[in-house]
Amino acid sequence: MRPAHLIASVVTAAAAVIALANPASAAPINYVALGDSYASGLGTGSYDGSSGGCKRGPLAYPALYAAATAPATFKSVACSGARTGDVITQAGNLTAATNLVTVQVGGNDAGFTDVITTCTFGSDQDCTNRVNQAKTYAANTLPGLLTNVYNTIKSKSPSARVVVLGYPRLYKVPGSCNVGLSDTKRAAINSGSDALHNTIGARAAAAGFRYVDVRGVFTGHEICSSSWWLNSLSWPVEESYHPNRAGHQSGYLPALRSAIG
């Protein structure tokens, strides 16, 4: 090899090494959080005054993730009580520049509040029947509603990484609780969480989104366990059966960070 060619080869190789050692800066993250009360932070007891009835707060997992990772922009529009149609409206906050989206919805569509109310005040059979109705809805009606949500997200932010988060089982069965709901009711409610998991996980996968199953993360931290990450019947009542501060900090946040990488 002639000297000139040798020098050129050395320079090229050196440039390649420098490029590997100094990769291009990652694109800035523009993060938008969508969803219902589990995503807004209802249950943590700390809410932004400007969020009104949506009960968004700094201790919810989207806000915790943003505080830990410092994205270029962050906006949560998650709202207590939101159903799939509401999340489609929330998606109006997405743009082509949005490159990270989290979304959690489906529990209210399936009748979460009514299930809990029926199981609290009704008989074991009343509870089981109402949960079975919710499971039928989750299997037959919810899939199409979720597909509409996920398609809307893709149309608004086609290049975004989208992470779909699921719901935990609420109870440890049998557990340490000697009062409250029977184990029959607790097991029925847990089976409803499993039904939501089946539907949400399948529709997220069909959309090409990452699904985060938090049931394993919350195992050992359900209501009636030795370390609760969820509120039981609480005051204010609206905070009942939602993740508490530990549920967001030690449950949802690590699961989300692991999913995003």
Side-chain angles (χ1 to χ4, degrees), residues 192-234:
S193 297
D194 291 338
L196 284 173
H197 155 74
N198 291 337
T199 295
I200 296 171
R203 299 323 303 158
F209 296 163
R210 178 68 180 270
Y211 172 65
V212 180
D213 177 7
V214 297
R215 295 175 304 164
V217 176
F218 274 79
T219 296
H221 299 284
E222 311 94 329
I223 299 168
C224 299
S225 69
S226 60
S227 175
W228 299 15
W229 287 356
L230 295 145
N231 299 322
S232 183
L233 188 61
S234 308

Side-chain angles (χ1 to χ4, degrees), residues 10-256:
V10 170
V11 170
T12 300
V17 170
I18 292 171
L20 288 172
N22 298 281
S25 298
I29 300 300
N30 297 302
Y31 171 29
V32 177
L34 313 174
D36 57 21
S37 55
Y38 269 60
S40 73
L42 178 62
T44 63
S46 179
Y47 312 111
D48 299 327
S50 60
S51 70
C54 285
K55 300 293 184 179
R56 286 189 293 272
L59 302 179
Y61 69 81
L64 293 174
Y65 179 81
T69 61
T73 63
F74 166 64
K75 184 174 187 178
S76 175
V77 289
C79 190
S80 177
R83 299 188 179 198
T84 49
D86 300 306
V87 173
I88 287 176
T89 300
Q90 292 174 13
N93 291 275
L94 304 177
T95 70
T98 305
N99 52 10
L100 176 62
V101 179
T102 57
V103 57
Q104 183 173 16
V105 71
N108 290 323
D109 292 80
F112 173 79
T113 301
D114 190 55
V115 166
I116 294 299
T117 300
T118 300
C119 289
T120 299
F121 297 107
S123 66
D124 283 1
Q125 192 59 56
D126 291 336
C127 176
T128 300
N129 290 344
R130 183 62 187 89
V131 170
N132 285 339
Q133 290 175 8
K135 288 160 68 173
T136 297
Y137 184 95
N140 298 332
T141 304
L142 186 58
L145 299 175
L146 292 174
T147 295
N148 288 341
V149 170
Y150 301 157
N151 285 344
T152 300
I153 293 171
K154 285 194 283 190
S155 69
K156 296 284 187 179
S157 300
S159 300
R161 173 183 292 190
V162 181
V163 180
V164 178
L165 295 104
Y167 300 91
R169 296 187 183 102
L170 295 183
Y171 284 98
K172 180 175 176 60
V173 182
S176 60
C177 301
N178 296 319
V179 296
L181 304 187
S182 67
D183 279 351
T184 297
K185 291 180 177 180
R186 292 168 184 161
I189 291 170
N190 283 353
S191 74
S193 297
D194 291 338
L196 284 173
H197 155 74
N198 291 337
T199 295
I200 296 171
R203 299 323 303 158
F209 296 163
R210 178 68 180 270
Y211 172 65
V212 180
D213 177 7
V214 297
R215 295 175 304 164
V217 176
F218 274 79
T219 296
H221 299 284
E222 311 94 329
I223 299 168
C224 299
S225 69
S226 60
S227 175
W228 299 15
W229 287 356
L230 295 145
N231 299 322
S232 183
L233 188 61
S234 308
W235 185 260
V237 174
E238 63 183 357
E239 296 197 354
S240 303
Y241 305 104
H242 284 77
N244 57 28
R245 296 183 180 190
H248 284 270
Q249 178 69 57
S250 301
Y252 271 103
L253 177 60
L256 176 59

